Amino acid sequence: MIPYIDIHTHSIHSGTGCIEVVSLDMADLHTNCGGDVDAICQKVSSCGQYAAIGLHPWNVASAEVCLATLPIVVQRCPNVRFIGEVGLDRTRDIDMGWQKNVFQTQVEMSEDLSIPMVIHCVRAFDELLCMRKALNPHQRWIVHGFRGKPELARQLMRSGLDISMGEHYNPLSLGVIPMDRLWIETDMSESNIQSVYTSLCENLNIDADTLRESVFQRFQHLMDAHKPTNSPKIVVN
Ligand SMILES: [Zn+2]
């Protein structure tokens, strides 16, 4: 059976017939591994799934040391295929100028390393789209956990971004996202990836196989396009 793809999760779900992109935050990795780069790489490589690493906008206070380590970890851990989750968040009391600085540095890393991005954006879409326009990146940007209205979804589509949806989403926005720009995630949710696919299929009025095949093929294509020479074999969970 074609595996489900979970484009953004914080935990590994065993026995779910799923390939996952596990998001690991650089600040947490640094803390848990006492800043030891070898230990960080060991931890990231041993997750057994694809990984996204980056500095979350809530953790930008520790940017200096984390951003220095990030490209080293990407280069040493071939299962790291995304920079993420990174982005902008206006609901937190963290200077927006600094958030933008840290985000831009990570955009530049994504371009230099030729890997796509998983983006966290809360109430800062004007800033995000402005930066996208100014930086004109080549790598794919996937805005995760999108719950916005159709007009915002249309804006993101026009600006060339992809959207990932999880357990909670605005069904009206589904209609404006072409299937080849839609990704699916569990993020922190307790619900499993199958139920998110089922919910989206019901709202899209398509059968489950069509959506699963579409996401899987695109994911494979994306992974093949950014394949490191020492790429590991990822097993279906
Ligand atoms: Zn997340």
Side-chain angles (χ1 to χ4, degrees):
M1 192 169 99
I2 294 168
Y4 293 93
I5 301 296
D6 186 345
I7 204 73
H8 177 71
T9 180
H10 293 272
S11 37
I12 296 169
H13 305 86
S14 298
T16 48
C18 181
I19 290 174
E20 304 179 311
V21 179
V22 182
S23 194
L24 301 165
D25 187 74
M26 280 307 298
D28 294 342
L29 287 166
H30 253 275
T31 307
N32 296 337
C33 299
D36 183 313
V37 179
D38 290 340
I40 293 173
C41 291
Q42 170 67 29
K43 201 171 179 65
V44 172
S45 304
S46 66
C47 86
Q49 287 288 311
Y50 291 114
I53 62 166
L55 194 56
H56 195 283
W58 299 351
N59 295 334
V60 291
S62 46
E64 207 168 310
V65 61
C66 289
L67 292 182
T69 314
L70 203 159
I72 302 170
V73 181
V74 174
Q75 282 164 327
R76 282 177 49 181
C77 302
N79 62 319
V80 175
R81 301 299 188 83
F82 295 83
I83 299 278
E85 58 180 298
V86 299
L88 306 170
D89 192 329
R90 202 166 265 298
T91 61
R92 294 285 163 137
D93 188 19
I94 302 167
D95 180 69
M96 185 47 69
W98 182 238
Q99 289 193 46
K100 284 159 86 173
N101 256 336
V102 173
F103 178 60
Q104 181 169 335
T105 304
Q106 294 182 96
V107 172
E108 286 161 1
M109 286 176 187
S110 141
E111 294 293 304
D112 289 347
L113 296 161
S114 293
I115 59 171
M117 303 187 75
V118 175
I119 292 178
H120 167 109
C121 186
V122 182
R123 295 193 194 159
F125 281 99
D126 285 350
E127 289 88 345
L128 183 76
L129 294 177
C130 225
M131 289 182 75
R132 167 110 183 157
K133 199 171 175 197
L135 298 169
N136 193 23
H138 291 99
Q139 295 305 316
R140 199 181 279 255
W141 287 16
I142 301 172
V143 173
H144 100 84
F146 185 79
R147 301 185 190 191
K149 292 182 180 165
E151 187 42 44
L152 182 56
R154 269 189 211 101
Q155 256 185 300
L156 298 192
M157 292 299 103
R158 281 196 297 269
S159 300
L161 285 87
D162 286 9
I163 283 179
S164 171
M165 286 179 165
E167 186 184 8
H168 303 288
Y169 60 89
N170 183 337
L172 296 173
S173 297
L174 258 186
V176 304
I177 307 168
M179 210 203 286
D180 64 357
R181 310 272 294 277
L182 176 68
W183 300 91
I184 301 156
E185 66 181 58
T186 53
D187 195 11
M188 312 274 248
S189 168
E190 295 284 308
S191 66
N192 60 35
I193 193 71
Q194 290 92 330
S195 65
V196 185
Y197 272 73
T198 303
S199 163
L200 290 167
C201 284
E202 281 169 10
N203 278 301
L204 285 165
N205 208 11
I206 56 170
D207 66 87
D209 289 349
T210 306
L211 184 60
R212 205 169 58 216
E213 199 167 324
S214 163
V215 179
F216 178 69
Q217 282 182 357
R218 266 181 292 132
F219 184 74
Q220 278 214 309
H221 194 261
L222 193 61
M223 292 302 95
D224 286 346
H226 306 282
K227 200 171 193 167
T229 47
N230 52 347
S231 177
K233 176 109 183 82
I234 301 293
V235 293
V236 178
N237 261 338

